[in-house]
Amino acid sequence: MTDLQADKLTGLRDHIVERAHMESHALLETVKKDVATWYSREAEKLDTEVDLLLRDARSRAEEIRRRQIAAAERERVRERLRVQNRLLQDAQGMLEEELASLREREDYDSILLGLLKETLEHLGTGGSFRFRLASADGVHGKALEKAVSGIEGVTVSFDPEPAPISGGIFLVSEDGKVHVLADWHVKAQEMTETLAQRLLPLL
């Protein structure tokens, strides 16, 4: 090979190397741009997904908080109702005890008489009736029978068999079809609404 051929060959090789270097550099720049574009796009998508996740997490947390507050409020209301019911039951029990203690008063026979007349008036019809008293009140039976003997259209007799009550009147028609229980437990129950109106505002 002559020197001229060798120089041409060397020049061609250098040209090829230089061109390859330039093309590889251009390709690398293109790849870098593509990578940068992809990275930017993926980073934007990731930011969007993170934002969505954060919003969803905040929404879920707020919903959980609302549910917890609602549950706490329901429990507070239930506890308040439990306290109110317990207070009313206790007050009703105390009232029943106070009514039973009326037996210690000197005018207890008048109280029983008023209760018996009230019970008869509540029926609003004539007829024959028997009344029973608590075992501790049996001594008042005959006096009560005599006191109501003058009521027109009504015949009332005392049944000495003790009634299973703490006090008050147990009235039964002669044919057994009508039963009226006007004992202290019933009277205390009848006053539950009044007790509630007076006590509940204090809670």
Side-chain angles (χ1 to χ4, degrees):
M1 180 182 295
T2 64
D3 291 340
L4 181 58
Q5 290 175 329
D7 289 341
K8 286 183 178 181
L9 185 60
T10 299
L12 181 60
R13 184 195 62 193
D14 291 343
H15 177 72
I16 292 172
V17 170
E18 182 179 356
R19 182 165 183 158
H21 178 71
M22 290 175 62
E23 289 180 355
S24 65
H25 181 72
L27 180 61
L28 181 61
E29 289 298 319
T30 300
V31 170
K32 285 182 178 179
K33 290 179 181 179
D34 290 344
V35 169
T37 301
W38 176 85
Y39 179 80
S40 176
R41 186 170 58 249
E42 292 300 316
E44 185 177 349
K45 287 169 59 178
L46 182 61
D47 288 342
T48 300
E49 290 178 3
V50 168
D51 187 53
L52 289 173
L53 288 173
L54 288 175
R55 284 205 296 267
D56 184 59
R58 284 194 292 267
S59 177
R60 289 177 180 271
E62 181 63 22
E63 179 63 23
I64 291 172
R65 188 182 72 84
R66 284 197 297 267
R67 289 180 181 178
Q68 290 175 337
I69 291 174
E73 179 62 19
R74 287 193 299 270
E75 181 58 30
R76 187 186 70 82
V77 171
R78 281 195 294 267
E79 181 59 27
R80 181 181 177 85
L81 289 175
R82 281 195 290 267
V83 171
Q84 289 177 346
N85 288 335
R86 187 166 59 248
L87 176 61
L88 284 175
Q89 289 173 358
D90 291 345
Q92 186 176 322
M94 293 172 62
L95 176 59
E96 190 173 338
E97 291 176 0
E98 287 298 317
L99 290 173
S101 70
L102 293 174
R103 185 176 290 117
E104 301 171 5
R105 291 177 44 159
E106 293 182 359
D107 60 345
Y108 184 58
D109 55 346
S110 298
I111 293 174
L112 289 176
L113 176 60
L115 185 59
L116 179 56
K117 287 182 176 181
E118 178 187 285
T119 306
L120 291 168
E121 290 174 1
H122 177 72
L123 291 175
T125 58
S128 298
F129 298 91
R130 291 176 290 110
F131 69 92
R132 295 164 59 191
L133 301 173
S135 58
D137 297 335
V139 295
H140 301 279
K142 287 300 181 181
L144 290 175
E145 181 182 86
K146 183 178 180 180
V148 294
S149 62
I151 299 179
E152 184 177 353
V154 177
T155 301
V156 182
S157 60
F158 170 59
D159 183 349
E161 182 181 354
I165 56 177
S166 61
I169 302 291
F170 181 43
L171 189 67
V172 184
S173 62
E174 285 292 348
D175 58 11
K177 293 182 179 180
V178 178
H179 294 74
V180 181
L181 184 60
D183 69 334
W184 300 142
H185 180 70
V186 170
K187 288 302 177 182
Q189 285 184 324
E190 290 176 355
M191 296 184 67
T192 298
E193 184 176 350
T194 301
L195 286 172
Q197 290 175 348
R198 294 183 180 181
L199 295 177
L200 296 186
L202 300 178
L203 294 180

